Structure formats: structure tokens, C-alpha cells
């Protein structure tokens, strides 16, 4: 198994990995506010890639100024929220692409 750590330009690295997806992308992060990442996921969903996102149910993800996740849902993507009592389970954020690539760490998609 090949492992590589990234400390710079993380958002662009994630976008490059998303762009490699051919069948499915699963994302679990506490907070998601990066429009460029949502755009990349929406584009892949539009191409027929299965895209699922799991987020915490709070003001950052659901309040005023939040991202418009219906952008992804309009292309068949799925966005789910977990309740506040489960927040502690979102410390390690991750993304699984095609059951082959795993992106993990403490980086929120903000």
C-alpha cells in the first residue's frame, strides 16, 4: 500500500483525486464550505459517479451562508447529516474513491 502525506495545497490535491473517480466517492467530514470541492463532486455526479457526503448537522453546514448542497443532489448525489450527539465521531475526516483511494486526516473541507 502506498501512503503519501500532504501538508500544502491540500484542496487541489483532493480535487485531483476526485477527478480520478470512475464509480464512487464517499466523503465524511465535519464541516464542508469549499465551493471548489463541491463543484468537483457535483461534476463527477453529473458524469454518473455515485457521490455521497456525510456532515455534522450544525450552522456551518446548514445555516445562513452555507453551501448549496442541492447542487450535488440535483445530479443524483446524496448529502446526509448526523446529529450533534455524534460530532465526536467526525474528528478524523475521510474520503474513499472507487474503494481504492483513501484521503484521511484532520483537514475539514473548508
Amino acid at each position: 500500500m502506498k501512503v503519501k502525506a500532504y501538508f500544502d495545497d491540500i484542496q487541489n490535491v483532493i480535487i485531483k483525486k476526485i477527478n480520478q473517480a470512475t464509480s464512487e466517492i464517499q466523503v465524511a467530514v465535519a464541516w464542508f464550505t469549499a465551493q471548489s470541492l463541491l463543484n468537483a463532486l457535483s461534476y463527477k455526479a453529473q458524469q454518473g459517479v455515485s457521490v455521497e457526503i456525510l456532515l455534522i448537522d450544525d450552522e456551518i453546514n446548514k445555516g445562513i451562508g452555507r453551501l448549496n448542497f442541492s447542487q450535488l443532489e440535483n445530479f443524483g448525489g446524496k448529502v446526509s447529516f448526523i446529529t450533534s450527539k455524534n460530532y465526536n465521531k467526525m474528528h478524523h475526516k475521510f474520503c474513499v474513491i472507487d474503494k481504492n483511494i483513501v484521503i484521511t486526516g484532520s483537514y475539514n473541507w473548508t
Side-chain angles (χ1 to χ4, degrees):
M1 174 173 48
K2 182 181 176 184
V3 176
K4 184 167 183 179
Y6 296 90
F7 299 99
D8 299 310
D9 204 26
I10 295 170
Q11 196 170 114
N12 284 327
V13 170
I14 293 171
I15 289 171
K16 286 177 186 175
K17 298 299 181 185
I18 288 170
N19 289 338
Q20 293 175 7
T22 59
S23 62
E24 68 180 359
I25 302 170
Q26 298 168 311
V27 178
V29 296
W31 298 286
F32 193 140
T33 63
Q35 184 66 53
S36 60
L37 292 171
L38 180 60
N39 290 345
L41 291 170
S42 297
Y43 180 70
K44 293 311 285 190
Q46 187 178 17
Q47 292 180 321
V49 172
S50 172
V51 178
E52 297 178 80
I53 302 174
L54 179 66
L55 306 168
I56 60 174
D57 183 0
D58 75 346
E59 286 297 312
I60 293 172
N61 293 320
K62 293 183 92 177
I64 297 171
R66 69 172 175 84
L67 289 179
N68 182 5
F69 292 109
S70 63
Q71 169 186 332
L72 173 64
E73 293 169 322
N74 289 339
F75 295 117
K78 182 177 178 185
V79 180
S80 302
F81 297 89
I82 60 172
T83 62
S84 61
K85 65 183 176 182
N86 295 318
Y87 284 5
N88 62 345
K89 294 180 170 85
M90 295 297 284
H91 179 68
H92 293 286
K93 292 70 172 173
F94 62 91
C95 173
V96 180
I97 299 172
D98 296 338
K99 297 181 182 170
N100 185 42
I101 297 170
V102 176
I103 300 168
T104 187
S106 61
Y107 179 79
N108 277 297
W109 290 24
T110 56

